Amino acid sequence: MTRVELARTLGDGFAERLTALWTEVTESGGAVGFTAADDPELIRSATDAVLAAVAEGQELLFTAHEQERLLGVVFLVPADVPAVQHRGEVRRLMVSPAAQGLGVGGALLNAAVTHAGEIGLRTVSLGVRSGDGLERFYTEHGWTERGRWPGAVHLGDEDYRDEVWFTIDLTGYPQRTSR
Protein backbone atom coordinates (compact mmCIF):
# COMPACT_ATOMS: atom_id res chain seq x y z
CA MET A 1 0.00 0.00 0.00
CA THR A 2 1.33 3.43 -0.97
CA ARG A 3 1.78 5.94 1.85
CA VAL A 4 1.86 9.68 0.99
CA GLU A 5 2.95 12.09 3.69
CA LEU A 6 4.59 15.38 4.51
CA ALA A 7 8.17 14.42 5.34
CA ARG A 8 9.04 15.75 8.78
CA THR A 9 12.23 13.74 9.19
CA LEU A 10 14.25 12.35 6.31
CA GLY A 11 16.32 9.65 7.97
CA ASP A 12 19.57 8.03 6.98
CA GLY A 13 20.00 7.32 3.31
CA PHE A 14 17.18 9.59 2.15
CA ALA A 15 19.50 11.79 0.07
CA GLU A 16 20.72 8.71 -1.78
CA ARG A 17 17.17 7.46 -2.36
CA LEU A 18 16.08 10.87 -3.64
CA THR A 19 19.11 11.14 -5.92
CA ALA A 20 18.38 7.65 -7.28
CA LEU A 21 14.73 8.56 -7.92
CA TRP A 22 15.67 11.87 -9.57
CA THR A 23 18.22 10.08 -11.76
CA GLU A 24 15.75 7.34 -12.70
CA VAL A 25 13.05 9.86 -13.63
CA THR A 26 15.56 11.95 -15.61
CA GLU A 27 16.92 8.96 -17.52
CA SER A 28 13.38 7.91 -18.47
CA GLY A 29 12.77 11.35 -20.01
CA GLY A 30 11.01 12.96 -17.06
CA ALA A 31 10.66 16.74 -16.96
CA VAL A 32 12.52 17.37 -13.70
CA GLY A 33 15.22 19.86 -14.66
CA PHE A 34 17.85 17.64 -16.26
CA THR A 35 18.38 15.54 -19.36
CA ALA A 36 19.86 12.04 -19.56
CA ALA A 37 23.00 13.61 -21.05
CA ASP A 38 23.66 15.69 -17.91
CA ASP A 39 26.39 14.71 -15.44
CA PRO A 40 24.83 12.63 -12.61
CA GLU A 41 26.79 14.75 -10.12
CA LEU A 42 24.56 17.68 -11.08
CA ILE A 43 21.56 15.73 -9.80
CA ARG A 44 23.38 14.90 -6.55
CA SER A 45 24.22 18.59 -6.08
CA ALA A 46 20.59 19.52 -6.75
CA THR A 47 19.47 16.91 -4.21
CA ASP A 48 21.77 18.40 -1.58
CA ALA A 49 20.49 21.92 -2.31
CA VAL A 50 16.81 21.02 -2.19
CA LEU A 51 17.20 18.99 0.99
CA ALA A 52 18.99 21.95 2.59
CA ALA A 53 15.98 24.12 1.63
CA VAL A 54 13.67 21.51 3.21
CA ALA A 55 15.79 21.44 6.39
CA GLU A 56 15.61 25.25 6.58
CA GLY A 57 11.81 25.20 6.13
CA GLN A 58 11.89 27.00 2.78
CA GLU A 59 10.39 24.02 0.94
CA LEU A 60 7.98 21.33 2.12
CA LEU A 61 8.58 17.78 0.92
CA PHE A 62 5.84 15.23 0.34
CA THR A 63 6.86 11.63 -0.23
CA ALA A 64 5.15 8.51 -1.54
CA HIS A 65 6.46 5.23 -0.17
CA GLU A 66 5.62 1.60 -0.45
CA GLN A 67 7.20 0.13 2.65
CA GLU A 68 10.73 1.59 2.45
CA ARG A 69 10.74 2.11 -1.34
CA LEU A 70 10.55 5.77 -2.42
CA LEU A 71 7.99 5.92 -5.24
CA GLY A 72 7.75 9.67 -5.67
CA VAL A 73 8.11 13.15 -4.26
CA VAL A 74 6.78 16.66 -4.72
CA PHE A 75 7.84 19.96 -3.18
CA LEU A 76 5.62 22.84 -2.06
CA VAL A 77 7.25 26.25 -1.72
CA PRO A 78 5.19 28.87 0.13
CA ALA A 79 6.00 32.45 -0.89
CA ASP A 80 8.31 34.22 1.52
CA VAL A 81 7.42 37.88 1.04
CA PRO A 82 4.33 39.64 2.47
CA ALA A 83 2.71 40.86 -0.76
CA VAL A 84 2.38 37.31 -2.10
CA GLN A 85 2.29 35.25 1.09
CA HIS A 86 -1.08 33.88 -0.04
CA ARG A 87 0.64 31.98 -2.87
CA GLY A 88 2.85 28.94 -3.23
CA GLU A 89 4.50 26.90 -5.93
CA VAL A 90 4.61 23.17 -6.62
CA ARG A 91 8.02 22.02 -7.84
CA ARG A 92 9.61 18.78 -9.02
CA LEU A 93 6.76 16.26 -9.00
CA MET A 94 8.69 13.02 -9.57
CA VAL A 95 7.30 9.50 -9.77
CA SER A 96 9.37 6.39 -10.39
CA PRO A 97 8.71 5.11 -13.92
CA ALA A 98 7.70 1.76 -12.38
CA ALA A 99 4.96 3.51 -10.36
CA GLN A 100 3.62 5.80 -13.09
CA GLY A 101 -0.01 5.28 -14.01
CA LEU A 102 -0.85 3.98 -10.52
CA GLY A 103 -2.12 7.27 -9.09
CA VAL A 104 1.05 8.14 -7.19
CA GLY A 105 1.53 11.49 -8.95
CA GLY A 106 -2.07 12.49 -8.37
CA ALA A 107 -1.88 11.48 -4.71
CA LEU A 108 1.30 13.52 -4.21
CA LEU A 109 -0.18 16.52 -6.00
CA ASN A 110 -3.37 16.29 -3.94
CA ALA A 111 -1.38 16.09 -0.69
CA ALA A 112 0.60 19.22 -1.58
CA VAL A 113 -2.51 21.16 -2.67
CA THR A 114 -4.51 20.11 0.39
CA HIS A 115 -1.66 21.12 2.69
CA ALA A 116 -1.33 24.44 0.87
CA GLY A 117 -4.97 25.18 1.66
CA GLU A 118 -4.52 24.09 5.27
CA ILE A 119 -1.65 26.54 5.79
CA GLY A 120 -3.68 29.41 4.36
CA LEU A 121 -2.47 29.61 0.76
CA ARG A 122 -5.10 30.74 -1.73
CA THR A 123 -3.33 29.99 -5.00
CA VAL A 124 -0.61 27.56 -6.06
CA SER A 125 1.31 27.69 -9.33
CA LEU A 126 3.60 25.38 -11.24
CA GLY A 127 5.44 25.20 -14.54
CA VAL A 128 5.89 22.22 -16.84
CA ARG A 129 7.48 21.61 -20.20
CA SER A 130 5.26 20.91 -23.17
CA GLY A 131 5.36 17.83 -25.34
CA ASP A 132 5.05 15.13 -22.68
CA GLY A 133 1.31 15.12 -21.96
CA LEU A 134 1.80 16.94 -18.67
CA GLU A 135 -0.71 19.64 -19.56
CA ARG A 136 -3.48 17.05 -19.64
CA PHE A 137 -2.41 15.55 -16.30
CA TYR A 138 -2.59 18.90 -14.51
CA THR A 139 -5.81 19.97 -16.20
CA GLU A 140 -7.43 16.68 -15.12
CA HIS A 141 -6.36 17.46 -11.55
CA GLY A 142 -8.12 20.83 -11.50
CA TRP A 143 -5.30 23.14 -12.61
CA THR A 144 -5.83 25.97 -15.13
CA GLU A 145 -3.30 26.83 -17.83
CA ARG A 146 -2.33 30.51 -17.50
CA GLY A 147 0.28 30.95 -20.20
CA ARG A 148 3.21 29.65 -22.22
CA TRP A 149 6.77 30.71 -22.85
CA PRO A 150 7.61 29.33 -26.30
CA GLY A 151 10.98 27.58 -26.53
CA ALA A 152 11.92 28.24 -22.90
CA VAL A 153 13.13 24.69 -22.22
CA HIS A 154 16.12 23.35 -24.17
CA LEU A 155 16.52 19.57 -24.08
CA GLY A 156 19.33 19.27 -26.59
CA ASP A 157 20.15 19.78 -30.25
CA GLU A 158 17.09 21.48 -31.75
CA ASP A 159 14.63 20.22 -29.11
CA TYR A 160 13.09 23.34 -27.59
CA ARG A 161 9.83 23.07 -25.67
CA ASP A 162 7.38 25.58 -24.25
CA GLU A 163 7.21 26.17 -20.53
CA VAL A 164 3.55 26.03 -19.56
CA TRP A 165 2.28 27.82 -16.44
CA PHE A 166 -0.63 26.54 -14.36
CA THR A 167 -2.44 27.70 -11.24
CA ILE A 168 -5.04 26.23 -8.95
CA ASP A 169 -7.41 28.31 -6.84
CA LEU A 170 -7.64 26.98 -3.28
CA THR A 171 -10.52 29.09 -2.04
CA GLY A 172 -12.63 25.93 -1.95
CA TYR A 173 -10.05 24.04 0.14
CA PRO A 174 -9.97 24.03 3.95
CA GLN A 175 -8.23 27.20 5.12
CA ARG A 176 -6.18 27.87 8.22
CA THR A 177 -4.40 31.13 8.80
CA SER A 178 -1.05 30.01 10.22
CA ARG A 179 1.91 28.29 8.70
Side-chain angles (χ1 to χ4, degrees), residues 15-61:
E16 289 75 21
R17 291 196 325 265
L18 179 56
T19 299
L21 173 68
W22 205 332
T23 301
E24 179 184 26
V25 171
T26 296
E27 289 176 350
S28 72
V32 290
F34 299 97
T35 69
D38 290 330
D39 183 344
E41 280 304 308
L42 291 173
I43 295 174
R44 179 53 198 230
S45 293
T47 297
D48 292 342
V50 74
L51 291 181
V54 168
E56 293 169 10
Q58 297 167 340
E59 298 195 23
L60 303 172
L61 168 63

Side-chain angles (χ1 to χ4, degrees):
M1 179 169 176
T2 301
R3 183 177 79 245
V4 175
E5 61 192 0
L6 173 62
R8 303 214 184 262
T9 58
L10 301 179
D12 293 336
F14 185 81
E16 289 75 21
R17 291 196 325 265
L18 179 56
T19 299
L21 173 68
W22 205 332
T23 301
E24 179 184 26
V25 171
T26 296
E27 289 176 350
S28 72
V32 290
F34 299 97
T35 69
D38 290 330
D39 183 344
E41 280 304 308
L42 291 173
I43 295 174
R44 179 53 198 230
S45 293
T47 297
D48 292 342
V50 74
L51 291 181
V54 168
E56 293 169 10
Q58 297 167 340
E59 298 195 23
L60 303 172
L61 168 63
F62 296 83
T63 60
H65 291 274
E66 193 168 82
Q67 296 172 8
E68 293 303 312
R69 184 169 166 239
L70 182 62
L71 299 177
V73 299
V74 68
F75 296 84
L76 174 64
V77 184
D80 61 355
V81 294
V84 294
Q85 66 185 6
H86 63 287
R87 298 187 334 208
E89 181 180 2
V90 165
R91 295 183 185 164
R92 296 176 296 274
L93 175 59
M94 294 185 253
V95 176
S96 168
Q100 290 177 5
L102 302 176
V104 174
L108 283 163
L109 190 60
N110 185 57
V113 167
T114 298
H115 188 78
E118 291 172 352
I119 63 172
L121 301 182
R122 296 179 57 83
T123 304
V124 179
S125 65
L126 60 82
V128 300
R129 75 175 183 215
S130 66
D132 294 322
L134 298 172
E135 298 100 326
R136 181 174 166 202
F137 172 80
Y138 289 105
T139 300
E140 288 175 351
H141 284 87
W143 293 73
T144 301
E145 183 178 327
R146 298 296 182 189
R148 290 175 175 259
W149 182 355
V153 180
H154 182 226
L155 299 179
D157 296 328
E158 293 301 315
D159 189 0
Y160 289 87
R161 308 276 180 93
D162 295 352
E163 183 172 333
V164 186
W165 299 308
F166 286 88
T167 63
I168 191 165
D169 177 6
L170 303 183
T171 56
Y173 282 77
Q175 297 284 308
R176 287 197 315 225
T177 56
S178 63
R179 290 189 193 175

